């Protein structure tokens, strides 16, 4: 990592006076007056520490900070403080104030992999330090307190407020005039890195994470830093080769070891910037929470129809409505309307609670039904999305995911990644979601992965219109690894690919590489483990597709008339179909035409039954037909001017179903006669 860090050294003559004043005014306003120790600051810090009963505040001068960053550990102990004072005194005796300030400015960390003011000036402004303006100097001086929080690219509002604070302090110290303060405050911040390279590799992500951890764990970046990461050098080299392919748009590749929670490779043309998540959000926000709340199962049919939520009318990507569609098929084909309907049904706040458990924050302004389709103001980083998806191969547990395993500064461990995990979904929910996403990789939008010889779950996503897309995603996971691919441009220039296109091709290539690496090491990619609380149930196919009802298949139903789906053991459909054990049909119609009796079976009547038709009059009972389904039966062997009653009985194998008695008919030379029940009851017709 050290070789890739952005480090450059300059001399004191290369630093403008207003730049020096910005740093000394905000960090150590009596720098040129004291001999390494600020007595007033020490007294103030001592009083604060006595009140808090700690050594939390140190009143460090620039000289002390230089010693602490370059020679000492990060421990907040009295022994370390005494060492700091001793070395600071030696530093002040050996070097002039300008030399100390220059050493300090050459070593401090400015975020985004920039060590020293020369690299920071180049990265943020594409300048040499000698050309820095007052506004630029104030921004850099303000950043060093917390490079992550005050980055103009991450938190522009915080950065501009911090710059204003530095300028105000400079004015109070008499370093600048009121006119200079007002003019500097009007200068806009940089909106993107000036010197960033085509692709940001693994080291960029490590340094990015280092800044965040420094704030979270309260340590200063500097000195002899040793960083233990999770990088797989072979995989990293492979994705860097893939990223070098020039297709006219940017790319990002990211892989995560699902077991350790460590990112094994990373390269990106946009760094760790937030983008709209598109349909990648659907399993996280909608489907997994709905499964967890027992609101749906993979087989639950959802009506894909036109809906209007107060003027918000979601559309599917193909502009069509598909009627009743199972949850599994909704995810496979990434339908939009069912996702919105589910979000509306569950409630936005309920779904957002699950997102927050996966460290995916949702602002109040983003809490609308459009969120189901990834509609939001800023979105998420690829790192955040891949970390969230790792919940599924980990049985519903959210692990701490990161690039860094351990950080040592001057020999002392200041950070070690925790192995703790918190539960987001039940193990059964995680598996059901995984199985649905396995189907997506087999026959859905990610079907380019279907030839992979191991269990893989996948989801795609696309942001754009018919005129072109701005973001295209493909994400997959196995029991071992999670992999994500993004294609697009930082300036949102349109690209002519969707998530299921080029990104899915890259995704397949990376998975194939991982598979080969496992084979070389004598290892495998195991199938996803099925929890005991998930069961496979046979459902009645006819009832499901004809009436959109989930009934357990009849024990006597043949294979062609049932299909299997997964359920939580406590959420199995209670009712079973009896269509084969106790055959039933809708009532046929009967009429007389030209002295012939015509019986028409309901078109929905099962064709797999045998049908027996019995005819009776006042004296005889005759079976006139027994055989396969007929749409129409004509009985020509009837006498004129006679009453007949027909009975239809469905039969499956040896199971005799419910007999249906049709209305009595009277044969005559007229076109048709049907005797109603009321008429029959009032007339002793058998005596005629």
């Amino acid at each position: 990592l050290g070789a890739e860090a952005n480090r450059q050294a300059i001399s004191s003559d290369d630093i403008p006076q207003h730049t020096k004043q910005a740093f000394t005014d905000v960090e150590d306003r009596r720098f040129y007056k004291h001999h390494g120790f600020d007595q007033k600051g020490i007294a103030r810090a001592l009083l604060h520490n006595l009140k808090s009963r700690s050594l939390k505040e140190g009143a460090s001068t620039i000289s002390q900070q230089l010693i602490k960053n370059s020679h000492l550990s990060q421990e907040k102990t009295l022994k370390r403080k005494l060492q700091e004072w001793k070395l600071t005194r030696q530093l002040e005796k050996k070097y002039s104030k300008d030399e100390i300030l220059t050493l300090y400015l050459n070593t401090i960390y400015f975020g985004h992999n920039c060590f020293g003011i020369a690299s920071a000036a180049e990265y943020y402004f594409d300048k040499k330090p000698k050309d820095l303006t007052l506004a630029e100097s104030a921004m850099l001086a303000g950043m060093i307190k917390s490079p992550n929080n005050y980055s103009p690219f991450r938190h522009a509002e915080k950065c501009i407020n911090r710059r204003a604070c530095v300028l105000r302090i400079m004015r109070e110290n008499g370093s600048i005039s009121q006119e200079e303060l007002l003019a500097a405050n009007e200068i806009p911040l940089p909106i993107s890195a000036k010197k960033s390279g085509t692709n940001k590799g693994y080291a960029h992500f490590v340094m990015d994470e280092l800044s965040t951890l420094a704030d979270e764990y309260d340590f200063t970046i500097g000195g002899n830093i040793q960083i233990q990461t999770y990088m797989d050098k072979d995989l990293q080299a492979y994705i860097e080769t893939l990223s070098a392919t020039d297709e006219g748009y940017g790319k990002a590749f990211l892989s995560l070891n699902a077991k350790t929670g460590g990112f094994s490779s990373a390269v990106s043309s946009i760094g760790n910037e937030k983008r709209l998540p598109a349909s990648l959000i659907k399993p996280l926000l909608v489907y997994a929470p709905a499964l967890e709340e027992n609101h749906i199962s993979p087989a639950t049919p959802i009506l894909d129809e036109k809906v209007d939520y107060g003027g918000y009318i979601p559309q599917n990507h193909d502009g069509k409505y598909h009627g009743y569609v199972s949850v599994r098929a909704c995810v496979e084909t990434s339908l939009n309307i069912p996702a919105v309907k589910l979000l509306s049904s569950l409630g936005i706040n309920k779904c957002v609670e699950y997102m927050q458990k996966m460290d995916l924050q949702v602002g109040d302004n983003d809490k609308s039904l459009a969120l189901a389709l990834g509609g939001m103001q800023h979105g998420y980083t690829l790192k955040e999305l891949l970390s969230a998806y790792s919940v599924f191969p980990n049985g519903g547990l959210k692990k701490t995911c990161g690039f860094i395993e351990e950080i040592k500064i001057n020999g002392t461990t200041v950070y070690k990644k925790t192995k703790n995990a918190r539960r987001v979904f039940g193990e059964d929910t995680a598996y059901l979601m995984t199985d649905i996403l396995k189907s997506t990789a087999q026959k859905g939008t990610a079907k380019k992965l279907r030839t992979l010889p191991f269990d893989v779950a996948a989801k795609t996503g696309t942001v754009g219109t018919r005129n072109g897309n701005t973001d295209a995603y493909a994400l997959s996971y196995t029991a071992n690894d999670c992999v994500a691919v993004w294609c697009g441009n930082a300036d949102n220039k349109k690209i002519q690919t969707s998530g299921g296109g080029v990104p899915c091709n890259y995704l397949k290539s990376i998975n194939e590489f991982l598979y080969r690496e496992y084979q070389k090491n004598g290892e495998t990619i195991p199938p996803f483990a099925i929890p005991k609380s998930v069961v496979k149930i046979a459902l009645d196919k006819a009832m499901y597709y004809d009436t959109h009802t989930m009934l357990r298949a009849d024990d006597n139903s043949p294979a062609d008339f049932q299909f299997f789906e997964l359920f939580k053991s406590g959420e199995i459909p209670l009712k079973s179909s009896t269509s084969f054990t106790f055959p039933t049909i809708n009532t046929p119609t009967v009429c007389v035409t030209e002295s012939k009796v015509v019986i028409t079976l309901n078109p929905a009547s099962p064709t797999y039954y045998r049908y027996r038709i019995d005819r009776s009059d006042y004296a005889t009972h005759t079976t006139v037909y027994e055989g396969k389904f007929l749409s129409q039966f004509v009985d020509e062997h009837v006498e004129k001017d006679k009453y007949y009653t027909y009975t239809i009985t469905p039969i499956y194998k040896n199971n005799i179903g419910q007999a249906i008695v049709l209305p009595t008919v009277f044969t005559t030379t007229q076109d048709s006669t049907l005797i109603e029940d009321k008429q029959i009851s009032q007339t002793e017709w058998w005596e005629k």
Side-chain angles (χ1 to χ4, degrees):
L1 293 175
E4 295 188 53
N6 194 0
R7 298 175 184 268
Q8 299 176 43
I10 58 171
S11 66
S12 177
D13 294 338
D14 294 323
I15 306 173
Q17 186 60 29
H18 58 248
T19 304
K20 294 178 181 179
Q21 289 171 328
F23 283 89
T24 55
D25 282 355
V26 76
E27 288 294 312
D28 186 0
R29 68 179 63 187
R30 285 177 285 274
F31 174 69
Y32 286 101
K33 297 178 180 179
H34 62 64
H35 298 289
F37 307 100
D38 186 349
Q39 305 300 328
K40 292 181 180 179
I42 291 173
R44 184 179 63 251
L46 181 60
L47 179 61
H48 182 275
N49 290 338
L50 286 172
K51 288 180 179 179
S52 63
R53 296 184 180 182
S54 71
L55 292 172
K56 196 168 185 179
E57 190 168 320
S60 293
T61 63
I62 284 177
S63 300
Q64 287 174 280
Q65 289 182 49
L66 178 58
I67 289 297
K68 181 175 66 176
N69 293 346
S70 59
H71 289 79
L72 300 175
S73 72
Q74 301 277 323
E75 296 175 311
K76 290 181 171 62
T77 64
L78 182 58
K79 179 181 178 182
R80 192 209 62 81
K81 199 66 180 174
L82 291 172
Q83 290 175 324
E84 177 189 310
W85 289 344
K86 178 182 177 181
L87 292 172
T88 299
R89 188 175 296 278
Q90 293 174 356
L91 177 72
E92 287 277 337
K93 289 180 179 179
K94 186 174 181 179
Y95 297 98
S96 69
K97 286 291 187 180
D98 267 359
E99 287 174 328
I100 292 172
L101 180 59
T102 302
L103 287 170
Y104 172 75
L105 292 177
N106 278 331
T107 57
I108 53 178
Y109 185 61
F110 289 89
H112 299 285
N113 203 20
C114 296
F115 285 90
I117 194 167
S119 60
E122 184 178 42
Y123 180 82
Y124 291 105
F125 306 111
D126 193 20
K127 289 183 175 182
K128 299 292 184 182
K130 64 180 181 179
D131 299 319
L132 287 172
T133 66
L134 171 61
E136 293 164 348
S137 300
M139 189 198 90
L140 294 177
M143 283 182 63
I144 60 173
K145 181 179 180 181
S146 177
N148 181 57
N149 281 326
Y150 296 123
S151 166
F153 309 142
R154 286 205 187 94
H155 306 288
E157 186 175 352
K158 288 183 179 180
C159 180
I160 206 162
N161 289 337
R162 178 65 178 162
R163 185 185 70 176
C165 177
V166 173
L167 291 168
R168 188 186 72 249
I169 292 172
M170 293 181 74
R171 176 71 188 101
E172 291 171 355
N173 288 349
S175 300
I176 59 173
S177 66
Q178 182 67 19
E179 290 75 17
E180 287 175 314
L181 180 148
L182 294 174
N185 271 330
E186 294 299 317
I187 303 298
L189 296 176
I191 58 175
S192 63
K194 304 301 179 182
K195 292 288 185 181
S196 58
T198 303
N199 276 315
K200 299 176 178 70
Y202 197 89
H204 170 86
F205 286 88
V206 170
M207 300 308 294
D208 205 39
E209 189 171 286
L210 178 64
S211 296
T212 302
L213 294 174
D215 290 334
E216 186 177 349
Y217 289 86
D218 191 25
F219 62 83
T220 302
I221 300 173
N224 180 15
I225 304 179
Q226 293 176 301
I227 304 175
Q228 183 68 37
T229 73
Y230 292 93
M231 186 178 75
D232 179 330
K233 61 182 180 62
D234 293 330
L235 179 58
Q236 180 66 25
Y238 180 72
I239 67 166
E240 286 178 1
T241 300
L242 288 182
S243 70
T245 306
D246 185 8
E247 284 151 328
Y249 46 78
K251 295 181 285 291
F253 304 98
L254 205 59
S255 66
L256 173 74
N257 185 298
K259 296 175 181 177
T260 65
F263 286 95
S264 49
S265 67
V267 64
S268 172
S269 61
I270 58 166
N272 201 28
E273 300 306 312
K274 296 180 184 292
R275 304 288 296 188
L276 297 183
S279 292
L280 288 193
I281 202 174
K282 292 174 183 175
L284 304 171
L285 174 75
V286 178
Y287 290 106
L291 288 167
E292 181 69 12
E293 295 290 326
N294 297 323
H295 195 68
I296 59 170
S297 72
T300 301
I302 299 177
L303 181 57
D304 179 31
E305 60 181 344
K306 182 178 180 179
V307 288
D308 186 340
Y309 295 100
Y312 174 57
I313 306 174
Q315 298 287 323
N316 291 319
H317 57 88
D318 60 2
K320 299 177 181 178
Y321 305 109
H322 303 83
Y324 281 96
V325 185
S326 71
V327 163
R328 184 180 293 275
C330 287
V331 178
E332 286 175 2
T333 56
S334 201
L335 293 178
N336 290 335
I337 294 170
V340 175
K341 292 180 79 170
L342 271 180
L343 180 59
S344 176
S345 179
L346 276 171
I348 296 173
N349 288 333
K350 171 65 69 176
C351 292
V352 166
E353 287 177 11
Y354 284 101
M355 294 285 281
Q356 290 172 337
K357 290 179 183 179
M358 292 179 279
D359 297 325
L360 296 175
Q361 302 305 317
V362 178
D364 290 339
N365 293 334
D366 292 329
K367 291 181 179 179
S368 72
L369 292 179
L371 187 62
L373 311 183
M376 52 198 312
Q377 188 173 0
H378 299 296
Y380 302 107
T381 66
L382 200 59
K383 174 185 175 183
E384 289 173 325
L385 290 170
L386 196 58
S387 297
Y389 267 89
S390 71
V391 166
F392 301 130
N394 282 306
L397 293 174
K398 177 64 173 68
K399 294 183 177 180
T400 301
C401 297
F403 291 85
I404 300 174
E405 183 178 8
E406 185 177 8
I407 302 170
K408 289 184 178 181
I409 298 182
N410 297 327
T412 300
T413 297
V414 296
Y415 167 77
K416 193 171 182 65
K417 190 166 82 68
T418 177
K419 294 182 179 179
N420 296 338
R422 64 175 174 272
R423 183 156 295 285
V424 180
F425 303 112
E427 194 177 10
D428 44 14
T429 292
Y431 183 80
L432 290 177
M433 193 71 251
T434 291
D435 197 70
I436 291 171
L437 293 174
K438 279 175 59 180
S439 295
T440 304
Q442 285 295 313
K443 54 184 178 179
T445 58
K447 60 180 178 290
K448 289 182 184 291
L449 307 182
R450 64 185 179 275
T451 58
L452 293 174
F454 47 82
D455 265 10
V456 59
K459 184 71 184 79
T460 64
T462 307
V463 179
T465 64
R466 291 174 182 170
N467 297 325
N469 305 317
T470 56
D471 301 81
Y473 296 93
L475 183 150
S476 71
Y477 61 88
T478 65
N480 291 351
D481 302 281
C482 306
V483 181
V485 176
W486 169 88
C487 292
N489 291 298
D491 61 0
N492 289 324
K493 182 180 178 182
K494 296 293 177 65
I495 60 174
Q496 298 302 318
T497 186
S498 63
V502 173
C504 221
N505 286 332
Y506 280 126
L507 190 63
K508 182 182 179 184
S509 297
I510 296 171
N511 275 283
E512 288 173 337
F513 179 87
L514 286 166
Y515 181 63
R516 291 193 299 270
E517 290 299 297
Y518 283 117
Q519 285 186 313
K520 286 180 186 177
N521 297 325
E523 301 174 11
T524 61
I525 300 177
F528 296 107
I530 305 176
K532 293 181 180 178
S533 55
V534 172
V535 292
K536 183 183 287 188
I537 299 297
L539 298 179
D540 185 285
K541 185 183 290 186
M543 291 297 292
Y544 186 81
Y545 289 106
D546 292 344
T547 67
H548 319 297
T549 304
M550 288 190 294
L551 294 179
R552 297 174 68 175
D554 191 316
D555 291 339
N556 291 307
S557 67
D560 290 345
F561 296 95
Q562 57 182 261
F563 71 98
F564 290 88
E565 190 50 278
L566 299 177
F567 290 87
K568 296 181 183 180
S569 56
E571 297 298 318
I572 300 170
L574 298 178
K575 293 184 178 180
S576 295
S577 170
T578 58
S579 56
F580 292 91
T581 302
F582 302 102
T584 58
I585 59 171
N586 294 324
T587 302
T589 60
V590 60
C591 64
V592 177
T593 302
E594 297 179 355
S595 298
K596 300 175 184 177
V597 177
V598 180
I599 297 172
T600 304
L601 293 179
N602 189 294
S605 298
T607 58
Y608 45 83
Y609 289 163
R610 291 190 353 263
Y611 290 85
R612 188 178 71 209
I613 302 177
D614 295 308
R615 182 186 67 208
S616 61
D617 53 29
Y618 66 93
T620 63
H621 181 102
T622 306
T623 297
V624 294
Y625 176 81
E626 183 167 351
K628 64 181 182 180
F629 173 85
L630 290 176
S631 58
Q632 195 171 76
F633 170 76
V634 178
D635 189 0
E636 299 179 349
H637 306 289
V638 292
E639 298 178 20
K640 293 181 180 179
D641 300 324
K642 195 169 183 178
Y643 290 95
Y644 291 100
T645 302
Y646 290 84
T647 302
I648 314 296
T649 305
I651 302 169
Y652 181 73
K653 293 185 177 179
N654 295 322
N655 298 317
I656 299 175
Q658 180 181 358
I660 296 179
V661 180
L662 301 181
T664 299
V665 294
F666 179 69
T667 57
T668 178
T669 55
Q670 298 178 7
D671 287 345
S672 178
T673 302
L674 180 66
I675 305 299
E676 299 292 341
D677 290 346
K678 181 178 179 182
Q679 183 181 4
I680 294 172
S681 64
Q682 292 174 348
T683 307
E684 296 177 345
W685 55 272
W686 57 87
E687 294 181 355
K688 288 189 177 182

